[in-house]
PDB file of all heavy atoms in Angstrom:
ATOM      1  N   LEU A  16     -10.157   1.577  29.514  1.00 97.00           N
ATOM      2  CA  LEU A  16     -10.966   0.443  29.926  1.00 97.00           C
ATOM      3  C   LEU A  16     -10.482  -0.074  31.270  1.00 97.00           C
ATOM      4  O   LEU A  16      -9.272  -0.183  31.503  1.00 97.00           O
ATOM      5  CB  LEU A  16     -10.876  -0.704  28.890  1.00 97.00           C
ATOM      6  CG  LEU A  16     -11.241  -0.292  27.449  1.00 97.00           C
ATOM      7  CD1 LEU A  16     -10.990  -1.459  26.520  1.00 97.00           C
ATOM      8  CD2 LEU A  16     -12.688   0.133  27.375  1.00 97.00           C
ATOM      9  N   GLN A  29     -10.422 -13.196  19.425  1.00 96.00           N
ATOM     10  CA  GLN A  29     -11.138 -14.460  19.416  1.00 96.00           C
ATOM     11  C   GLN A  29     -12.375 -14.334  18.530  1.00 96.00           C
ATOM     12  O   GLN A  29     -13.223 -13.463  18.755  1.00 96.00           O
ATOM     13  CB  GLN A  29     -11.519 -14.914  20.826  1.00 96.00           C
ATOM     14  CG  GLN A  29     -10.277 -15.312  21.630  1.00 96.00           C
ATOM     15  CD  GLN A  29     -10.622 -15.873  22.991  1.00 96.00           C
ATOM     16  OE1 GLN A  29     -11.775 -16.052  23.355  1.00 96.00           O
ATOM     17  NE2 GLN A  29      -9.568 -16.141  23.746  1.00 96.00           N
ATOM     18  N   TRP A  36     -18.982  -7.994  18.750  1.00 97.00           N
ATOM     19  CA  TRP A  36     -18.848  -6.506  18.773  1.00 97.00           C
ATOM     20  C   TRP A  36     -18.545  -5.883  17.416  1.00 97.00           C
ATOM     21  O   TRP A  36     -18.781  -4.694  17.214  1.00 97.00           O
ATOM     22  CB  TRP A  36     -17.772  -6.077  19.773  1.00 97.00           C
ATOM     23  CG  TRP A  36     -16.370  -6.448  19.415  1.00 97.00           C
ATOM     24  CD1 TRP A  36     -15.691  -7.586  19.788  1.00 97.00           C
ATOM     25  CD2 TRP A  36     -15.426  -5.697  18.628  1.00 97.00           C
ATOM     26  NE1 TRP A  36     -14.424  -7.585  19.256  1.00 97.00           N
ATOM     27  CE2 TRP A  36     -14.244  -6.417  18.538  1.00 97.00           C
ATOM     28  CE3 TRP A  36     -15.527  -4.435  17.998  1.00 97.00           C
ATOM     29  CZ2 TRP A  36     -13.124  -5.953  17.855  1.00 97.00           C
ATOM     30  CZ3 TRP A  36     -14.399  -3.981  17.314  1.00 97.00           C
ATOM     31  CH2 TRP A  36     -13.223  -4.725  17.256  1.00 97.00           C
ATOM     32  N   GLU A  45      -2.678 -14.315  13.444  1.00 97.00           N
ATOM     33  CA  GLU A  45      -1.434 -14.798  12.875  1.00 97.00           C
ATOM     34  C   GLU A  45      -1.020 -13.912  11.735  1.00 97.00           C
ATOM     35  O   GLU A  45      -1.814 -13.679  10.798  1.00 97.00           O
ATOM     36  CB  GLU A  45      -1.618 -16.238  12.337  1.00 97.00           C
ATOM     37  CG  GLU A  45      -2.044 -17.234  13.401  1.00 97.00           C
ATOM     38  CD  GLU A  45      -2.502 -18.589  12.829  1.00 97.00           C
ATOM     39  OE1 GLU A  45      -2.479 -18.752  11.575  1.00 97.00           O
ATOM     40  OE2 GLU A  45      -2.914 -19.434  13.626  1.00 97.00           O
ATOM     41  N   ARG A  49      -5.187 -14.183   6.028  1.00 98.00           N
ATOM     42  CA  ARG A  49      -6.232 -13.391   5.341  1.00 98.00           C
ATOM     43  C   ARG A  49      -7.598 -13.806   5.888  1.00 98.00           C
ATOM     44  O   ARG A  49      -7.855 -15.001   6.099  1.00 98.00           O
ATOM     45  CB  ARG A  49      -6.153 -13.672   3.815  1.00 98.00           C
ATOM     46  CG  ARG A  49      -4.885 -13.141   3.215  1.00 98.00           C
ATOM     47  CD  ARG A  49      -4.895 -13.298   1.696  1.00 98.00           C
ATOM     48  NE  ARG A  49      -3.676 -12.780   1.125  1.00 98.00           N
ATOM     49  CZ  ARG A  49      -3.422 -11.511   0.860  1.00 98.00           C
ATOM     50  NH1 ARG A  49      -4.343 -10.581   1.126  1.00 98.00           N
ATOM     51  NH2 ARG A  49      -2.277 -11.126   0.334  1.00 98.00           N
ATOM     52  N   TRP A  56     -24.207  -5.117   4.944  1.00 82.00           N
ATOM     53  CA  TRP A  56     -23.920  -4.214   3.839  1.00 82.00           C
ATOM     54  C   TRP A  56     -22.783  -4.682   2.943  1.00 82.00           C
ATOM     55  O   TRP A  56     -22.478  -4.073   1.944  1.00 82.00           O
ATOM     56  CB  TRP A  56     -23.558  -2.805   4.381  1.00 82.00           C
ATOM     57  CG  TRP A  56     -22.544  -2.816   5.473  1.00 82.00           C
ATOM     58  CD1 TRP A  56     -22.796  -2.781   6.827  1.00 82.00           C
ATOM     59  CD2 TRP A  56     -21.108  -2.857   5.338  1.00 82.00           C
ATOM     60  NE1 TRP A  56     -21.611  -2.851   7.523  1.00 82.00           N
ATOM     61  CE2 TRP A  56     -20.567  -2.850   6.638  1.00 82.00           C
ATOM     62  CE3 TRP A  56     -20.259  -2.889   4.240  1.00 82.00           C
ATOM     63  CZ2 TRP A  56     -19.188  -2.889   6.843  1.00 82.00           C
ATOM     64  CZ3 TRP A  56     -18.894  -2.912   4.476  1.00 82.00           C
ATOM     65  CH2 TRP A  56     -18.366  -2.912   5.773  1.00 82.00           C
ATOM     66  N   LYS A  58     -18.810  -7.065   2.548  1.00 94.00           N
ATOM     67  CA  LYS A  58     -17.664  -7.757   3.097  1.00 94.00           C
ATOM     68  C   LYS A  58     -16.445  -6.864   3.133  1.00 94.00           C
ATOM     69  O   LYS A  58     -16.242  -6.033   2.224  1.00 94.00           O
ATOM     70  CB  LYS A  58     -17.388  -8.987   2.242  1.00 94.00           C
ATOM     71  CG  LYS A  58     -16.249  -9.843   2.668  1.00 94.00           C
ATOM     72  CD  LYS A  58     -16.206 -11.167   1.923  1.00 94.00           C
ATOM     73  CE  LYS A  58     -15.675 -10.970   0.505  1.00 94.00           C
ATOM     74  NZ  LYS A  58     -15.357 -12.218  -0.154  1.00 94.00           N
ATOM     75  N   VAL A  59     -15.609  -7.051   4.150  1.00 95.00           N
ATOM     76  CA  VAL A  59     -14.320  -6.358   4.251  1.00 95.00           C
ATOM     77  C   VAL A  59     -13.258  -7.431   4.147  1.00 95.00           C
ATOM     78  O   VAL A  59     -13.276  -8.411   4.890  1.00 95.00           O
ATOM     79  CB  VAL A  59     -14.170  -5.624   5.611  1.00 95.00           C
ATOM     80  CG1 VAL A  59     -12.848  -4.917   5.688  1.00 95.00           C
ATOM     81  CG2 VAL A  59     -15.319  -4.641   5.836  1.00 95.00           C
ATOM     82  N   SER A  60     -12.318  -7.263   3.201  1.00 97.00           N
ATOM     83  CA  SER A  60     -11.214  -8.200   3.057  1.00 97.00           C
ATOM     84  C   SER A  60     -10.020  -7.693   3.844  1.00 97.00           C
ATOM     85  O   SER A  60      -9.685  -6.506   3.748  1.00 97.00           O
ATOM     86  CB  SER A  60     -10.827  -8.353   1.586  1.00 97.00           C
ATOM     87  OG  SER A  60     -11.917  -8.867   0.832  1.00 97.00           O
ATOM     88  N   CYS A  61      -9.396  -8.589   4.616  1.00 97.00           N
ATOM     89  CA  CYS A  61      -8.340  -8.165   5.540  1.00 97.00           C
ATOM     90  C   CYS A  61      -7.150  -9.123   5.514  1.00 97.00           C
ATOM     91  O   CYS A  61      -7.328 -10.272   5.110  1.00 97.00           O
ATOM     92  CB  CYS A  61      -8.875  -8.088   6.968  1.00 97.00           C
ATOM     93  SG  CYS A  61     -10.368  -7.097   7.204  1.00 97.00           S
ATOM     94  N   GLU A  70      -0.560  -6.251  23.231  1.00 98.00           N
ATOM     95  CA  GLU A  70       0.062  -4.978  22.953  1.00 98.00           C
ATOM     96  C   GLU A  70      -0.403  -4.334  21.651  1.00 98.00           C
ATOM     97  O   GLU A  70      -0.748  -3.158  21.628  1.00 98.00           O
ATOM     98  CB  GLU A  70       1.588  -5.106  22.912  1.00 98.00           C
ATOM     99  CG  GLU A  70       2.165  -5.476  24.266  1.00 98.00           C
ATOM    100  CD  GLU A  70       3.687  -5.673  24.198  1.00 98.00           C
ATOM    101  OE1 GLU A  70       4.317  -5.331  23.175  1.00 98.00           O
ATOM    102  OE2 GLU A  70       4.239  -6.170  25.213  1.00 98.00           O
ATOM    103  N   TRP A  76      -7.677  -3.364   5.718  1.00 96.00           N
ATOM    104  CA  TRP A  76      -9.117  -3.233   5.722  1.00 96.00           C
ATOM    105  C   TRP A  76      -9.501  -2.741   4.323  1.00 96.00           C
ATOM    106  O   TRP A  76      -9.277  -1.559   4.005  1.00 96.00           O
ATOM    107  CB  TRP A  76      -9.539  -2.226   6.804  1.00 96.00           C
ATOM    108  CG  TRP A  76     -11.000  -1.935   6.929  1.00 96.00           C
ATOM    109  CD1 TRP A  76     -11.768  -1.143   6.115  1.00 96.00           C
ATOM    110  CD2 TRP A  76     -11.886  -2.343   7.979  1.00 96.00           C
ATOM    111  NE1 TRP A  76     -13.063  -1.059   6.577  1.00 96.00           N
ATOM    112  CE2 TRP A  76     -13.130  -1.818   7.734  1.00 96.00           C
ATOM    113  CE3 TRP A  76     -11.682  -3.144   9.091  1.00 96.00           C
ATOM    114  CZ2 TRP A  76     -14.202  -2.024   8.586  1.00 96.00           C
ATOM    115  CZ3 TRP A  76     -12.783  -3.362   9.941  1.00 96.00           C
ATOM    116  CH2 TRP A  76     -14.025  -2.803   9.695  1.00 96.00           C
ATOM    117  N   GLU A  82      -8.711   1.210   0.714  1.00 95.00           N
ATOM    118  CA  GLU A  82      -7.589   0.387   1.116  1.00 95.00           C
ATOM    119  C   GLU A  82      -7.001   1.101   2.357  1.00 95.00           C
ATOM    120  O   GLU A  82      -6.381   2.142   2.212  1.00 95.00           O
ATOM    121  CB  GLU A  82      -6.536   0.289   0.014  1.00 95.00           C
ATOM    122  CG  GLU A  82      -7.035  -0.362  -1.262  1.00 95.00           C
ATOM    123  CD  GLU A  82      -7.107  -1.866  -1.153  1.00 95.00           C
ATOM    124  OE1 GLU A  82      -6.365  -2.454  -0.348  1.00 95.00           O
ATOM    125  OE2 GLU A  82      -7.931  -2.472  -1.911  1.00 95.00           O
ATOM    126  N   THR A  92      -2.387   0.215  32.071  1.00 98.00           N
ATOM    127  CA  THR A  92      -2.433   1.354  32.981  1.00 98.00           C
ATOM    128  C   THR A  92      -2.671   0.863  34.408  1.00 98.00           C
ATOM    129  O   THR A  92      -2.917  -0.321  34.606  1.00 98.00           O
ATOM    130  CB  THR A  92      -3.557   2.332  32.584  1.00 98.00           C
ATOM    131  OG1 THR A  92      -4.825   1.670  32.795  1.00 98.00           O
ATOM    132  CG2 THR A  92      -3.452   2.796  31.142  1.00 98.00           C
ATOM    133  N   LYS A  99      -6.149   2.220  21.934  1.00 98.00           N
ATOM    134  CA  LYS A  99      -6.121   3.161  20.807  1.00 98.00           C
ATOM    135  C   LYS A  99      -6.401   2.404  19.533  1.00 98.00           C
ATOM    136  O   LYS A  99      -5.732   1.355  19.260  1.00 98.00           O
ATOM    137  CB  LYS A  99      -4.788   3.884  20.724  1.00 98.00           C
ATOM    138  CG  LYS A  99      -4.677   4.813  19.534  1.00 98.00           C
ATOM    139  CD  LYS A  99      -3.304   5.477  19.487  1.00 98.00           C
ATOM    140  CE  LYS A  99      -3.140   6.341  18.258  1.00 98.00           C
ATOM    141  NZ  LYS A  99      -1.787   6.899  18.175  1.00 98.00           N
ATOM    142  N   ASP A 110     -14.336  11.151   1.568  1.00 93.00           N
ATOM    143  CA  ASP A 110     -14.949  11.759   2.746  1.00 93.00           C
ATOM    144  C   ASP A 110     -16.119  10.950   3.309  1.00 93.00           C
ATOM    145  O   ASP A 110     -16.273  10.832   4.514  1.00 93.00           O
ATOM    146  CB  ASP A 110     -15.399  13.208   2.437  1.00 93.00           C
ATOM    147  CG  ASP A 110     -15.679  13.977   3.723  1.00 93.00           C
ATOM    148  OD1 ASP A 110     -14.750  14.090   4.529  1.00 93.00           O
ATOM    149  OD2 ASP A 110     -16.823  14.443   3.894  1.00 93.00           O
ATOM    150  N   VAL A 130     -18.552  -6.214  25.484  1.00 97.00           N
ATOM    151  CA  VAL A 130     -18.045  -7.569  25.357  1.00 97.00           C
ATOM    152  C   VAL A 130     -16.951  -7.807  26.391  1.00 97.00           C
ATOM    153  O   VAL A 130     -16.949  -8.816  27.080  1.00 97.00           O
ATOM    154  CB  VAL A 130     -17.566  -7.887  23.926  1.00 97.00           C
ATOM    155  CG1 VAL A 130     -16.770  -9.180  23.871  1.00 97.00           C
ATOM    156  CG2 VAL A 130     -18.762  -7.958  22.978  1.00 97.00           C
ATOM    157  N   ASP A 138     -16.895 -17.544  32.370  1.00 43.00           N
ATOM    158  CA  ASP A 138     -15.711 -18.405  32.382  1.00 43.00           C
ATOM    159  C   ASP A 138     -14.987 -18.286  31.044  1.00 43.00           C
ATOM    160  O   ASP A 138     -15.589 -17.837  30.060  1.00 43.00           O
ATOM    161  CB  ASP A 138     -16.107 -19.888  32.581  1.00 43.00           C
ATOM    162  CG  ASP A 138     -16.696 -20.125  33.960  1.00 43.00           C
ATOM    163  OD1 ASP A 138     -16.308 -19.405  34.908  1.00 43.00           O
ATOM    164  OD2 ASP A 138     -17.517 -21.034  34.067  1.00 43.00           O
TER     165      ASP A 138
END
Side-chain angles (χ1 to χ4, degrees):
L16 304 175
Q29 291 185 4
W36 68 268
E45 300 168 2
R49 293 186 180 278
W56 50 264
K58 181 170 76 169
V59 181
S60 297
C61 306
E70 294 178 11
W76 179 284
E82 297 283 335
T92 65
K99 177 181 176 184
D110 196 58
V130 168
D138 293 331

